[in-house]
Amino acid sequence: MSEALKSDQLGDETSIEYVTVLISGQLFGMPISKVEDVFTLQSITEVPLARSEVAGVLNLRGRIVTAIDMRARLGLPPRESEGNPMAVGVAYKSESYGLVIDTVGEVLRLQKDGIEPNPANLDPRWRQVSAGVHKLEGDLMVVLDIEQVLEGLTDPIAA
Amino acid sequence: MRRVSCDPGTGLDMDDLLQEFLTESEESLDVVDVELVKFEQDPNNEEILANIFRLVHTIKGTCGFLGLPRLEALAHAAETLMGKFRDGVPVTGEAVTVILASIDRIKEILAELEATEAEPEGADEDLISQLDVLAGIGEAYAGPEGDDSVEESADAAPEMAADASGGDDDAQLQVLERELKPGEVSLDDLERAFQEAAGPDDGVDEPAAGAQAAEAQAEPAIAETPAPAEPPVKDSDADANNERREKSVSTQSIRVNVDTLEMLMTMVSELVLTRNQLLEMVRRLNDSEFKVPLQRLSNVTAELQEGVMKTRMQPVGNAWQKLPRIIRDLSQELDKKINLVMNGAETELDRQVLDLIKDPLTHMVRNSADHGLEVTEDRIRLGKSETGTVQLSAYHEGGHIIIEIADDGAGLPTEKIRQKIIDRGLATEADLEKMSESQIHKFIFRAGFSTAENVTSVSGRGVGMDVVRTNIELIGGSVDVKSIEGQGSTFFIKIPLTLAIVSALIVEANKERFAVPQLNVVELVRVQDGSDHTIEMINDTPVLRLRNKLLPLVPLAKLLELEDVTALQPVIEPAQEDAQEAAGPADDPSGAPSGAEARAQADQLHDQSGDADVPEAGAPDAMPAADAGAEPGEADETGEDSNVVPFDSEAQGSERSKAEGNFIIVTHVGAQTFGIVVDGVYDTEEIVVKPMSNMLRSITMFSGNTILGDGSVILIVDPNGIAQAINSDVATAVSAEANEENAAKSAKRASEEVTSLLLFRAGAEETKAVPLSLVTRLEEIKIADIEPSNGRELVQYRGQLMPLVYVDETQKLREDGEQPVVVFSDGERAMGLVVDEIVDIVEDKLNIEVASSRPGIIGSAVVKGNATEMIDVGHYLPMAFDDWFRRQDGLSDAGGQHLLLVDDSAFFRNMLTPVLSAEGFEVVTVSSPREALELRENGEIFDLIVSDIEMPEMDGFEFAEKVRADAKWGSTPIIALSSHCTPAAISKAREAGFHDYVAKFDREGLVATVRQLFEQVGEAA
């Protein structure tokens, strides 16, 4: 698919804009309408007893934001490289979350009908948070369903 | 929620007037509601009648003035009937019901009036004619014509005047000013009469006087229910506010939009944060010129904050206003006689909190009246008084307000609840067996639980106690119930005074900072080696001698799992579990200690540092309590060696000070006192509490988080959560005082090798068992969540895929609902063993009598008198992950290392072998030291020996000595394995030559120790 092109923020009926991010080498896309912020992770307060996907809480311009480690969420090994990771700020159920990713890419406008359903053999953890796959030139972009990413974490484990 | 005049900017004078009228009328009507119910019970009380009469009259008059004929007519008819009451017409329940219905109608009209700014179309003849019939003038519908109204008022007024007695006030002034209708001459008389009657002073020079006046007026009316008093800014009590609003004489109070107050509060919160930031910055500077002005700014901010907080405080009685009416209606509807008693209505709390508890509270009172109280016949049959009582009380305790809703009804039906719990699948019978009655009662707060058999119009509408609980928990409160069957139930709602700003102690545990709310802190104790204040251990349980008490201690780092917690750490149980609750310290009415106070405390502490007293970090009023607790003889002891925590909020040093060492925060929660051990203490800071995100709210250890002066986010520790954490292990923990005795007992028991076993059923009939120590968790997994994959079932578990394994082939998953699963885990991996039913957890001697040749079963044992099959977990683990024992992490290099396991119990040999194999060892097992020594004679060499202690023939100590004595194995590390884990045993083991000592069921501890020793061996080699 070569529909990808840089464009302004205005969406239309047939295409949708994605902010692309890189997590452990894999390209992901988040609908730009869901993305409130992109920021570099400075200082973060770990939350003891929290589930492993919660990286901690941080102060983002006076708001307290819960940071989610996307690598842990996707069952990937922890990040090894130096330097502060980036985070994408999103709102979910009127609360602010920061999805910690490796790096932020660019903004892509992609045709809605270019999306493919999840391949059947995708890891269930990925399947849960993926809203489909876009076939880009030389790359595949997994569309992140932000609601699912966070919903799966708030759902308490049956006790 | 009180309505306060809407947007002030809407312009027209008339609109403002209308708004004013609406607000006021609504408040008046609420009072009328309450007063009417009182009046019904006490029909001879002229004061109440006069009060009602006046309120209704005011509404009627104002309606006429504003040109609202429909309202006027209705109010008029109601007023007429009330006039008749005063003339001696008997007060009937029917009449009161009709009047109440009219009041409700008036409210409806007002609501629409507010929405549309016009009186709605419609007729009220139905009510008016009823009112008229009751008033004896039923033949005609009294229209809103001016004549009629004038006449009526003229009639009524002199009577009013005649009856108005000393308790009334001069509220009618307003009528004079507003009632500009030419016809209402008689009002002058009325007015004069009221004015002549001795009322509260006109010269109210403090705003609160208004509220006092209101109270004073209401008191003679009904003794046990003090009329709700109001804070000055926003009034609800009609007397007080009618009076004030209309008075041109004084403008002691004004109405303020709630939004304005909210905004003010937010701004103050921000200001506090900014001030904290500035203080933080200046602290770092030596000798800054900003210091003095900043100090002033700080003080002013603190006062401002306190002031704003005060404007938000309202008496809890405001949330109770509607209750008498509700109870009255209920009593009629259910045909029960109900007496509502309200105590402590004047207790103040933040209006935000007040708004939030209003609905839950109403619901609970309804519940008590509907479900709690028996019907009259039953009461008589049971020999109870005919009239049931619902008692509502509010009082302060610590930083909280406790509201109790007590009824003397039937109490909670424990059996029914138990049945329902089972029916709803909320717990199994086995679980319930272990629960106390009060634990069972707590199930009524679970979702989807309603014990009422018949759904009445009153309750049982699907809104249950779970909603109540959720709402209360949302504001950081908690709800509890105590019930005695046949005698009644009492519900306790515990809510924080305010949600906004608290003073907190900043502490450090394992390099992380946390905030502990000052309200819960009784005192701070510093412990040091060599001082009398040292942490002592009872069976690994830390305690502190504080004055003449033993204080149970919980290290914060351990609670929060900040460090590698050694397993088998006994849980601490506070010593004073049953101690009577000490009277809560008197609370600052403003609800939050101001910054000024906090500083004052800090100063105080600082001053004390010279003569080193027990440092008191708590609210000042906690001090006498703590002092009182000190025995005179012991006072010296406490005084000498404890050190004062150098609080330094005064920016005295160039750096923000942190007191190092071990500190114990003596904390008081409910009836419990315990010490939280932290590594360091910074100073106190005013923090703006922000709720935890939903995702983190399930962590009970934190009540919220906040942004500190330096911009970092800090978590606020919830002492309630800690207290709960301490309590939840009540079954296994013992009180600190009883610990010594218990330690002796458990030592005795240990020699008999009592094992905790999880009993369950799976597949074949026989009960199966597995040592509880091997089990990670018991889970119920939704069938829907189980995903088949490649011939196996997988389930998402804690972010990992967990395979499910069956005990045998006959077993099937449940069709739907939830599947009980026993989770075993090892490091990151987890396996779910599918079971049909969890039966019980028992403690018994583990004595495998018949070994089994069936895979997966070690053998059979008699557990609690029944034959039970012991599961071999080691058999199932590889079924889940076939590489379970071949993992390539950690000790992968250990492959080829030889380990000797000496244990006379086949069970433990079977259990530990796979565990140790998993660590990469080649394990050789022998059942006695004798066999082990034979191996030595045969020239076998091992890299590590793990040996049991309690063995027949030769025990582990002797074995170890023998091992050490001979050069062949003399340098081989040897680990003791025993259920007998006492310091004496450990030191004996060391003497005997063991390198380390691990509790027998502590699988992880063993693994860790083995790894560690292996590493040492590796280095040495």
Side-chain angles (χ1 to χ4, degrees):
Chain A
M1 290 294 273
S2 55
E3 299 292 329
L5 49 100
K6 292 211 172 171
S7 69
D8 57 26
Q9 299 216 345
L10 291 169
D12 59 56
E13 291 298 305
T14 57
S15 64
I16 189 165
E17 276 187 308
Y18 292 99
V19 176
T20 67
V21 300
L22 220 54
I23 306 170
S24 189
Q26 171 65 51
L27 189 67
F28 287 88
M30 309 188 192
I32 201 165
S33 56
K34 308 272 185 192
V35 175
E36 296 193 331
D37 254 317
V38 175
F39 54 95
T40 310
L41 226 52
Q42 301 286 355
S43 76
I44 184 160
T45 304
E46 279 182 36
V47 181
L49 309 176
R51 46 193 308 157
S52 59
E53 292 92 341
V54 175
V57 285
L58 56 101
N59 171 8
L60 183 62
R61 292 186 290 275
R63 270 180 314 153
I64 296 180
V65 174
T66 309
I68 305 299
D69 180 351
M70 284 307 293
R71 279 175 169 260
R73 183 74 184 88
L74 294 165
L76 296 167
R79 194 165 168 271
E80 276 161 19
S81 61
E82 293 296 308
N84 289 333
M86 304 281 290
V88 177
V90 296
Y92 172 67
K93 290 188 178 167
S94 63
E95 286 180 323
S96 299
Y97 291 91
L99 306 181
V100 183
I101 42 109
D102 296 354
T103 47
V104 173
E106 52 187 340
V107 175
L108 293 181
R109 178 179 288 281
L110 297 172
Q111 291 300 314
K112 276 184 181 169
D113 53 16
I115 198 163
E116 291 262 346
N118 291 326
N121 60 351
L122 197 64
D123 182 304
R125 266 171 301 193
W126 286 49
R127 208 185 306 150
Q128 193 196 359
V129 298
S130 162
V133 178
H134 266 291
K135 307 183 292 293
L136 309 181
E137 263 178 62
D139 214 344
L140 292 172
M141 185 190 86
V142 178
V143 177
L144 269 186
D145 182 337
I146 288 162
E147 269 78 25
Q148 277 302 316
V149 168
L150 296 166
E151 175 67 35
L153 295 178
T154 33
D155 211 1
I157 297 161
Chain B
M1 168 131 187
R2 172 136 306 109
R3 188 177 304 113
V4 168
S5 26
C6 293
D7 187 3
T10 40
L12 288 173
D13 278 2
M14 193 59 190
D15 287 351
D16 286 350
L17 261 180
L18 194 63
Q19 281 304 340
E20 188 94 330
F21 163 71
L22 285 169
T23 311
E24 184 154 309
S25 300
E26 190 164 294
E27 288 167 3
S28 300
L29 288 170
D30 283 346
V31 178
V32 171
D33 255 0
V34 176
E35 295 283 295
L36 263 175
V37 175
K38 279 196 237 164
F39 179 60
E40 191 183 16
Q41 289 158 357
D42 186 10
N44 295 322
N45 192 323
E46 287 168 358
E47 277 176 40
I48 304 181
L49 184 58
N51 192 15
I52 302 170
F53 196 90
R54 193 172 42 73
L55 292 167
V56 175
H57 184 82
T58 307
I59 293 170
K60 188 193 80 173
T62 320
C63 292
F65 176 67
L66 292 171
L68 303 166
R70 195 179 155 194
L71 279 171
E72 191 185 358
L74 196 54
H76 172 73
E79 189 192 351
T80 309
L81 178 56
M82 281 187 274
K84 295 290 176 192
F85 289 161
R86 281 189 326 124
D87 295 344
V89 173
V91 180
T92 62
E94 187 199 355
V96 174
T97 305
V98 177
I99 295 176
L100 286 172
S102 310
I103 304 290
D104 288 346
R105 179 74 58 85
I106 291 175
K107 283 185 194 162
E108 284 166 27
I109 299 174
L110 287 175
E112 222 168 307
L113 185 60
E114 189 181 15
T116 62
E117 299 208 355
E119 198 176 32
E121 293 297 316
D124 310 301
E125 272 79 12
D126 49 338
L127 283 172
I128 291 172
S129 60
Q130 277 186 58
L131 288 166
D132 286 352
V133 168
L134 289 163
I137 51 167
E139 66 284 347
Y141 154 54
E145 296 83 31
D147 286 353
D148 202 72
S149 145
V150 170
E151 198 183 291
E152 248 332 297
S153 308
D155 272 356
E159 290 159 22
M160 275 297 282
D163 286 339
S165 56
D168 221 322
D169 62 13
D170 50 353
Q172 290 301 319
L173 264 180
Q174 63 172 67
V175 182
L176 178 65
E177 285 182 10
R178 178 152 283 186
E179 278 285 347
L180 297 173
K181 274 180 131 181
E184 305 255 293
V185 196
S186 60
L187 277 178
D188 282 339
D189 295 335
L190 182 66
E191 179 84 18
R192 201 167 303 122
F194 275 119
Q195 271 184 309
E196 279 159 12
D201 272 352
D202 283 355
V204 273
D205 40 22
E206 53 175 304
Q212 281 162 10
E215 224 178 329
Q217 193 191 338
E219 247 160 47
I222 181 152
E224 75 270 33
T225 52
E230 272 291 301
V233 181
K234 302 199 303 90
D235 4 273
S236 82
D237 192 292
D239 297 318
N241 90 62
N242 284 352
E243 186 180 334
R244 261 188 318 242
R245 183 179 67 90
E246 295 298 332
K247 277 247 180 81
S248 48
V249 200
S250 61
T251 47
Q252 253 84 19
S253 75
I254 53 158
R255 284 175 186 284
V256 181
N257 192 316
V258 174
D259 291 342
T260 313
L261 278 183
E262 283 302 304
M263 198 190 70
L264 211 53
M265 190 66 218
T266 315
M267 300 313 288
V268 168
S269 302
E270 293 304 319
L271 185 62
V272 169
L273 285 182
T274 316
R275 177 208 54 192
N276 291 350
Q277 256 158 13
L278 281 173
L279 284 173
E280 180 71 33
M281 285 156 73
V282 171
R283 234 173 231 144
R284 293 200 201 104
L285 303 170
N286 262 334
D287 216 22
S288 163
E289 58 189 311
F290 297 119
K291 237 168 212 175
V292 176
L294 185 60
Q295 199 51 50
R296 208 152 52 227
L297 172 72
S298 181
N299 289 341
V300 172
T301 310
E303 274 168 41
L304 181 62
Q305 181 193 336
E306 198 178 338
V308 174
M309 291 296 300
K310 262 187 193 149
T311 64
R312 292 161 51 98
M313 299 304 274
Q314 285 193 315
V316 70
N318 286 4
W320 295 357
Q321 263 183 358
K322 293 196 163 60
L323 296 176
R325 167 78 190 276
I326 287 166
I327 288 291
R328 181 204 173 266
D329 290 355
L330 267 181
S331 135
Q332 293 223 320
E333 200 175 321
L334 303 166
D335 197 22
K336 289 179 183 174
K337 290 189 180 156
I338 307 170
N339 181 23
L340 177 69
V341 180
M342 299 192 283
N343 296 325
E346 68 287 349
T347 315
E348 286 194 326
L349 76 168
D350 192 284
R351 59 154 290 280
Q352 192 189 352
V353 182
L354 191 76
D355 278 346
L356 291 166
I357 59 150
K358 217 175 217 172
D359 290 342
L361 203 58
T362 309
H363 184 79
M364 290 175 87
V365 170
R366 273 172 186 279
N367 256 350
S368 290
D370 188 15
H371 302 316
L373 297 178
E374 310 92 333
V375 292
T376 313
E377 303 90 76
D378 287 352
R379 290 188 69 90
I380 295 169
R381 196 162 41 75
L382 291 164
K384 289 184 173 180
S385 80
E386 230 178 278
T387 309
T389 302
V390 175
Q391 183 167 347
L392 207 57
S393 324
Y395 52 92
H396 285 282
E397 188 196 276
H400 292 79
I401 279 198
I402 313 281
I403 302 178
E404 288 181 22
I405 303 133
D407 66 66
D408 62 348
L412 293 175
T414 312
E415 262 320 302
K416 250 188 233 171
I417 296 175
R418 195 194 297 269
Q419 194 51 49
K420 198 137 202 175
I421 294 169
I422 296 167
D423 292 351
R424 298 272 156 102
L426 296 172
T428 64
E429 245 164 296
D431 295 337
L432 289 177
E433 277 310 309
K434 279 172 279 165
M435 288 184 194
S436 67
E437 205 160 274
S438 70
Q439 278 175 307
I440 292 174
H441 289 161
K442 286 193 176 59
F443 273 90
I444 62 169
F445 299 113
R446 292 277 199 94
F449 202 96
S450 168
T451 52
E453 282 170 350
N454 300 314
V455 173
T456 65
S457 70
V458 180
S459 42
R461 292 178 183 122
V463 184
M465 295 303 277
D466 60 314
V467 178
V468 168
R469 192 200 65 182
T470 312
N471 285 343
I472 290 170
E473 284 180 352
L474 271 183
I475 53 172
S478 61
V479 58
D480 200 359
V481 62
K482 281 203 180 86
S483 170
I484 301 172
E485 212 158 346
Q487 290 181 34
S489 326
T490 305
F491 287 87
F492 299 86
I493 303 177
K494 186 176 182 181
I495 35 179
L497 277 177
T498 180
L499 309 175
I501 300 182
V502 297
S503 172
L505 195 61
I506 312 298
V507 302
E508 189 184 272
N510 209 29
K511 309 240 162 35
E512 302 273 342
R513 281 186 298 169
F514 298 93
V516 181
Q518 280 273 22
L519 281 164
N520 297 90
V521 178
V522 182
E523 60 181 298
L524 265 178
V525 180
R526 182 182 205 165
V527 288
Q528 277 182 320
D529 286 346
S531 85
D532 278 2
H533 282 277
T534 50
I535 297 176
E536 296 174 71
M537 304 295 262
I538 304 175
N539 187 27
D540 291 344
T541 304
V543 293
L544 175 79
R545 272 188 239 195
L546 186 63
R547 290 180 275 279
N548 55 349
K549 289 262 198 260
L550 272 187
L551 184 76
L553 301 180
V554 240
L556 186 60
K558 191 158 285 179
L559 266 177
L560 301 178
E561 295 172 16
L562 290 174
E563 52 189 10
D564 290 333
V565 182
T566 43
L568 284 196
Q569 173 65 38
V571 185
I572 298 144
E573 167 74 358
Q576 296 109 314
E577 200 208 5
D578 290 315
Q580 278 298 311
E581 184 121 347
D587 286 291
D588 179 7
S590 72
S594 67
E597 263 173 293
R599 262 188 317 284
Q601 285 165 232
D603 290 349
Q604 207 170 357
L605 285 166
H606 207 82
D607 293 340
Q608 282 176 349
S609 58
D611 37 35
D613 258 301
V614 178
E616 300 275 358
D621 36 26
M623 274 161 75
D627 287 343
E631 291 291 315
E634 310 225 357
D636 285 346
E637 185 197 319
T638 54
E640 272 166 24
D641 293 295
S642 57
N643 296 289
V644 164
V645 181
F647 272 122
D648 208 351
S649 56
E650 288 280 314
Q652 295 185 4
S654 57
E655 260 187 38
R656 183 183 191 130
S657 70
K658 189 192 92 179
E660 293 280 0
N662 256 326
F663 289 90
I664 293 166
I665 306 169
V666 182
T667 311
H668 184 78
V669 175
Q672 284 177 234
T673 307
F674 52 88
I676 304 172
V677 185
V678 297
D679 305 337
V681 173
Y682 295 85
D683 50 13
T684 55
E685 204 165 313
E686 296 285 287
I687 55 173
V688 180
V689 180
K690 305 199 172 182
M692 294 292 274
S693 107
N694 266 319
M695 196 173 289
L696 304 172
R697 214 161 281 166
S698 55
I699 307 171
T700 52
M701 295 294 172
F702 304 117
S703 57
N705 44 22
T706 192
I707 298 172
L708 282 187
D710 62 7
S712 61
V713 178
I714 187 171
L715 298 157
I716 303 164
V717 170
D718 183 3
N720 295 297
I722 293 180
Q724 271 170 25
I726 294 172
N727 271 341
S728 64
D729 280 294
V730 108
T732 49
V734 279
S735 88
E737 276 156 306
N739 243 350
E740 273 164 296
E741 188 193 336
N742 244 322
K745 265 193 211 159
S746 67
K748 200 173 157 209
R749 254 189 292 135
S751 58
E752 294 166 21
E753 291 208 351
V754 174
T755 311
S756 279
L757 294 170
L758 175 77
L759 301 186
F760 59 92
R761 263 188 273 280
E765 285 248 340
E766 274 115 328
T767 309
K768 303 200 167 40
V770 65
L772 195 59
S773 53
L774 299 178
V775 174
T776 309
R777 283 173 77 91
L778 304 181
E779 295 284 4
E780 305 241 288
I781 286 167
K782 289 193 192 114
I783 293 294
D785 290 348
I786 298 176
E787 303 168 35
S789 151
N790 196 17
R792 316 194 284 185
E793 267 104 2
L794 298 174
V795 70
Q796 287 270 345
Y797 183 76
R798 317 210 137 191
Q800 303 267 347
L801 277 181
M802 178 174 80
L804 297 183
V805 171
Y806 295 90
V807 175
D808 62 37
E809 305 76 34
T810 60
Q811 235 190 323
K812 287 203 167 58
L813 284 178
R814 294 188 180 178
E815 301 274 301
D816 54 18
E818 296 187 328
Q819 176 70 46
V821 163
V822 181
V823 178
F824 299 90
S825 65
D826 183 18
E828 283 288 295
R829 296 180 169 199
M831 167 196 100
L833 188 67
V834 175
V835 301
D836 299 338
E837 184 192 3
I838 302 289
V839 178
D840 207 349
I841 292 169
V842 296
E843 284 212 284
D844 207 340
K845 266 203 293 187
L846 188 72
N847 202 349
I848 297 183
E849 289 172 357
V850 189
S852 167
S853 54
R854 266 166 58 206
I857 306 289
I858 294 172
S860 299
V862 175
V863 176
K864 293 281 168 198
N866 294 314
T868 305
E869 288 184 334
M870 207 59 61
I871 288 281
D872 177 9
V873 180
H875 171 77
Y876 293 102
L877 295 183
M879 287 168 73
F881 294 100
D882 48 14
D883 63 339
W884 191 298
F885 294 140
R886 291 189 270 111
R887 282 185 311 157
Q888 292 305 300
D889 62 338
L891 279 183
S892 54
D893 303 340
Q897 298 285 343
H898 289 69
L899 185 146
L900 176 66
L901 175 63
V902 188
D903 198 325
D904 60 315
S905 152
F907 173 76
F908 278 103
R909 290 200 303 271
N910 287 332
M911 183 186 102
L912 293 175
T913 305
V915 171
L916 295 167
S917 306
E919 291 304 312
F921 286 97
E922 281 185 31
V923 182
V924 173
T925 59
V926 290
S927 62
S928 71
R930 195 177 38 80
E931 284 175 52
L933 295 173
E934 275 171 26
L935 290 177
R936 181 176 69 177
E937 297 317 310
N938 293 342
E940 299 256 2
I941 296 292
F942 294 97
D943 301 293
L944 189 62
I945 302 170
V946 177
S947 170
D948 190 8
I949 293 290
E950 293 90 3
M951 287 180 287
E953 259 177 86
M954 183 193 295
D955 67 11
F957 299 124
E958 202 184 331
F959 173 59
E961 279 165 21
K962 288 217 154 82
V963 168
R964 286 281 158 271
D966 191 285
K968 278 185 202 153
W969 284 5
S971 58
T972 310
I974 173 164
I975 299 175
L977 198 63
S978 173
S979 40
H980 204 122
C981 214
T982 60
I986 292 173
S987 65
K988 190 175 171 195
R990 288 210 187 279
E991 276 168 32
F994 281 108
H995 281 77
D996 220 321
Y997 195 100
V998 178
K1000 201 152 190 176
F1001 299 106
D1002 184 8
R1003 200 162 49 111
E1004 267 152 31
L1006 176 64
V1007 168
T1009 311
V1010 165
R1011 279 191 184 172
Q1012 197 188 341
L1013 278 177
F1014 173 73
E1015 271 158 30
Q1016 285 169 6
V1017 172
E1019 279 159 23

